Amino acid sequence: MARPEQVLLLEPQHELKFRGPFSDVVTTNLKLSNPTDRNVCFKVKTTAPRRYCVRPNSGIIDAGTSINVSVMLQPFEYDPNEKSKHKFMVQSVLAPPDMTDMEGVWKEAKPEELMDSKLRCVFDMPVENEKSHDMESNMSSSLLKSESSVLPAKSPSSTLDYGEVKKIMEECKRLQMEAQRLREENKQIRHAPSSMKREEGLSSRSVALILLFFIIGVIVGKLVL
């Protein structure tokens, strides 16, 4: 036997929308109206009871009145793929005139007396948050692409060919020979008179330093260019 049509009027009728971000409790309201001349018992159930807090989740709606049910979605990490998976059901039954125990009514109600309406849940994430989520999920590939685009390719002018390397090696060899010659001169100066030692030693060291700095400058300049 088919179940009777729902006597309660639901607002919204088909879906409960929850607007993110979902870092805090998000509340949406469900209005239940009883247009009949009899009291109606109701229950609100969900497929994900741990995710939602419903107040009130059951009760009695007097004839010709309505009630607002607060459906509170608890904080969670938003997943764009998790849309319209959770559902709610509003179940109702006409209350007998001499009702004293609501739980007793549910226990004694026959299946053909029960009425229900189903609603699906929709998660509405703001556009900027969805973009941020997409950017985070694609961050690794984006960083790799940006790094490869920023790093310039080495041009032929920025590298040294074999001829330039050979010249630098010859320059270094000549510098070593010059340093050896200066060491020999220094040994000879040690046997000279003290006044001549100071003058010639100072002169030799000055020349050696100037020559050394000049050659280093030439080598560094070639490497940079």
Side-chain angles (χ1 to χ4, degrees):
M1 183 177 178
R3 290 190 177 186
E5 186 178 352
Q6 175 68 269
V7 296
L8 295 178
L9 301 179
L10 280 62
E11 186 181 344
Q13 296 182 3
H14 305 294
E15 60 185 24
L16 296 175
K17 291 185 178 182
F18 299 90
R19 183 170 178 79
F22 303 104
S23 56
D24 202 353
V25 176
V26 181
T27 303
T28 188
N29 293 318
L30 172 64
K31 185 178 181 180
L32 303 178
S33 300
N34 178 11
T36 70
D37 56 358
R38 293 182 59 179
N39 294 345
V40 176
C41 300
F42 77 93
K43 284 184 177 181
V44 181
K45 300 179 180 180
T46 177
T47 57
R50 295 183 180 181
R51 182 69 63 85
Y52 301 90
C53 181
V54 183
R55 294 291 183 272
N57 60 0
S58 63
I60 301 174
I61 305 176
D62 295 335
T65 65
S66 61
I67 188 172
N68 286 322
V69 177
S70 295
V71 182
M72 292 163 277
L73 173 62
Q74 304 305 301
F76 75 105
E77 185 175 352
Y78 173 69
D79 182 359
N81 298 319
E82 188 177 3
K83 293 183 178 180
S84 305
K85 289 185 177 180
H86 301 163
K87 293 179 175 61
F88 273 80
M89 181 176 71
V90 178
Q91 196 172 42
S92 63
V93 62
L94 293 174
D98 56 349
M99 185 192 71
T100 57
D101 180 16
M102 186 177 67
E103 289 301 321
V105 173
W106 289 107
K107 290 179 181 179
E108 296 174 4
K110 298 177 181 179
E112 60 270 18
E113 295 176 340
L114 298 176
M115 298 166 283
D116 60 59
S117 298
K118 294 180 176 63
L119 301 96
R120 65 191 185 102
C121 298
V122 177
F123 301 144
D124 184 12
M125 176 65 80
V127 176
E128 58 271 16
N129 292 87
E130 285 191 347
K131 288 182 179 179
S132 176
H133 185 276
D134 293 339
M135 288 176 65
E136 290 176 1
S137 62
N138 297 326
M139 185 171 291
S140 298
S141 59
S142 298
L143 285 175
L144 290 174
K145 291 180 181 178
S146 62
E147 287 178 0
S148 61
S149 62
V150 169
L151 291 175
K154 290 185 178 181
S155 61
S157 60
S158 63
T159 59
L160 296 177
D161 57 21
Y162 177 76
E164 291 177 338
V165 173
K166 186 177 180 181
K167 289 181 181 179
I168 293 174
M169 294 297 293
E170 291 176 352
E171 217 39 72
C172 292
K173 186 176 181 180
R174 191 176 65 82
L175 178 60
Q176 292 176 354
M177 294 176 64
E178 184 67 22
Q180 180 64 28
R181 187 182 65 80
L182 291 174
R183 283 196 294 269
E184 294 295 332
E185 290 183 357
N186 189 39
K187 291 180 181 179
Q188 296 177 4
I189 291 173
R190 289 178 183 176
H191 301 286
S194 58
S195 59
M196 186 179 297
K197 277 185 182 180
R198 286 194 298 270
E199 292 177 0
E200 292 183 358
L202 180 60
S203 176
S204 298
R205 290 176 184 175
S206 300
V207 172
L209 288 174
I210 293 171
L211 182 61
L212 180 61
F213 287 135
F214 173 76
I215 295 175
I216 292 175
V218 171
I219 295 173
V220 172
K222 289 184 177 180
L223 289 174
V224 172
L225 297 175

